[in-house]
Amino acid sequence: MTGSTLKELTAFLMVAEEANFTRAAARLGVSQSALSQVIRTLETRLELRLFTRTTRSVALTEAGERLRSLVGPAMDEIEAGLSRIGELRGKPAGTLRLNADEFAVHNVLMPAIAPMLAQYPDIRVELTTDYARSDIVSGRFDAGVRRGGLVARDMIAMRISPPIPMAVVATPAYLAAHFTPQRPQELVDLNCVGLRLPTHGEIYAWTFTRGRRDQRVKPEGQVVVNGIGATCQAALQGIGLAYLPLHHAQPWLESGQLVEVLADWRKTYEPYHLYYPNRRPASPAFSLLLQALRGNLERMEAQDAPQPPA
């Protein structure tokens, strides 16, 4: 394989992953025009059209899908081999690419990897925020993070968080100006901040639990956002009620800026798990990630454990 062919295949896989030339060019550190030229050169060499391009989208052709399925795993093996060669320097090195939703990135992954990166400066971590059940193999990720029930059965899964309780929160001023709901059905008479999942397009339904029964409510209100950070900020501005992971809202609950309602109906989701293919070689960098996540889980569980009376 020539250097130019390797460059073309790397560019092809990046465009296939991003389905967007602009984003792919940014990740590769080249101009969009230069990237387009590389792809045209590859298509000319193969005498096949690899992408269908419109003004709004980029999609793989049948030939492009076949090429990705053939060369994607091979490129993974090349990258893994280069990482293992780097181990000869005596220090863990290489790039770890992880896929997770927004809450997991900020509240589970970041606290775990920050100390690891400080100790091992030759390790790089690339985090992609995604709410979909992404195929981490075709996406060329080293691992993904999802709640336990959403992990495919053919993956190795490791629990990395406690269960995830959800909370409905609002400012005291908003509740004083309206009313405090006692049942989920009463939310239809209040302004609720909607969360539109970027990868699904639908508004996330709020789930409540009483006894063994779940009840789902579709939020209605004046504001819809696409991230939990914006959801929390909307609640803090007094726009309405928000449905957030309890741990995310905890600082504002403790300060009194937000209060929780419907606590008796609180839904608790299964813990987050790190998942990865069972054929993935355990590089030193990946082994350190697993170790860091185990340590972070122990700290999280210790913080959540009931404290003995003084």
Side-chain angles (χ1 to χ4, degrees):
M1 181 186 298
T2 66
S4 60
T5 303
L6 184 60
K7 176 183 176 181
E8 291 165 3
L9 292 175
T10 300
F12 161 76
L13 289 170
M14 189 65 72
V15 176
E17 178 185 333
E18 291 291 343
N20 183 284
F21 273 82
T22 302
R23 291 196 298 268
R27 285 183 57 184
L28 291 168
V30 300
S31 67
Q32 183 175 341
S33 60
L35 177 59
S36 296
Q37 181 58 52
V38 171
I39 296 299
R40 282 195 295 270
T41 300
L42 178 60
E43 290 178 322
T44 300
R45 184 197 306 277
L46 298 175
E47 298 183 357
L48 290 168
R49 190 175 182 182
L50 301 175
F51 293 100
T52 299
R53 306 167 178 85
T54 69
T55 56
R56 294 186 177 182
S57 65
V58 176
L60 286 167
T61 63
E62 182 180 354
E65 291 282 6
R66 179 72 62 86
L67 181 61
R68 180 169 66 171
S69 68
L70 290 172
V71 305
M75 293 294 285
D76 287 340
E77 292 298 326
I78 291 172
E79 290 186 2
L82 292 174
S83 295
R84 288 195 291 272
I85 289 296
E87 296 162 17
L88 298 176
R89 296 190 311 232
K91 294 186 295 183
T95 298
L96 298 173
R97 300 188 63 241
L98 309 176
N99 179 296
D101 69 34
E102 185 182 3
F103 178 70
V105 168
H106 289 285
N107 293 273
V108 181
L109 291 178
M110 283 295 189
I113 66 175
M116 180 187 77
L117 296 179
Q119 187 174 359
Y120 299 98
D122 291 330
I123 295 177
R124 298 176 66 248
V125 176
E126 183 177 333
L127 297 171
T128 297
T129 302
D130 185 4
Y131 288 90
R133 302 183 191 183
S134 298
D135 182 346
I136 59 172
V137 175
S138 63
R140 303 179 66 233
F141 291 98
D142 293 287
V145 175
R146 291 293 180 268
R147 297 197 310 269
L150 303 178
V151 176
R153 293 183 179 180
D154 60 346
M155 294 283 171
I156 295 176
M158 182 184 84
R159 185 169 70 92
I160 59 173
S161 85
I164 309 159
M166 303 296 292
V168 178
V169 299
T171 61
Y174 180 85
L175 296 175
H178 298 82
F179 66 93
T180 299
Q182 303 301 315
R183 298 181 304 161
Q185 298 93 319
E186 297 175 3
L187 292 171
V188 298
D189 297 318
L190 294 166
N191 208 8
C192 298
V193 181
L195 172 66
R196 189 181 300 279
L197 298 179
T199 48
H200 294 282
E202 61 187 21
I203 295 180
Y204 186 73
W206 298 6
T207 304
F208 300 91
T209 299
R210 194 73 177 266
R212 296 185 177 182
R213 297 183 61 184
D214 280 357
Q215 179 175 336
R216 290 163 62 88
V217 175
K218 187 173 181 179
E220 298 287 346
Q222 295 174 282
V223 172
V224 176
V225 298
N226 67 351
I228 61 171
T231 305
C232 188
Q233 287 302 312
L236 288 167
Q237 293 298 321
I239 291 174
L241 296 98
Y243 187 72
L244 294 166
L246 178 62
H247 289 87
H248 187 86
Q250 199 66 51
W252 294 281
L253 293 172
E254 292 176 356
S255 70
Q257 292 174 268
L258 295 174
V259 295
E260 182 182 4
V261 302
L262 300 173
D264 292 341
W265 295 80
R266 184 188 291 166
K267 170 69 175 179
T268 297
Y269 286 105
E270 61 268 28
Y272 280 113
H273 286 68
L274 184 86
Y275 67 99
Y276 52 96
N278 54 20
R279 65 177 178 80
R280 191 199 186 287
S283 69
F286 193 77
S287 297
L288 286 170
L289 173 67
L290 299 183
Q291 180 181 329
L293 288 168
R294 290 190 188 101
N296 187 60
L297 174 59
E298 292 177 0
R299 289 190 293 271
M300 295 173 74
E301 291 183 327
Q303 291 172 359
D304 291 342
Q307 299 298 314

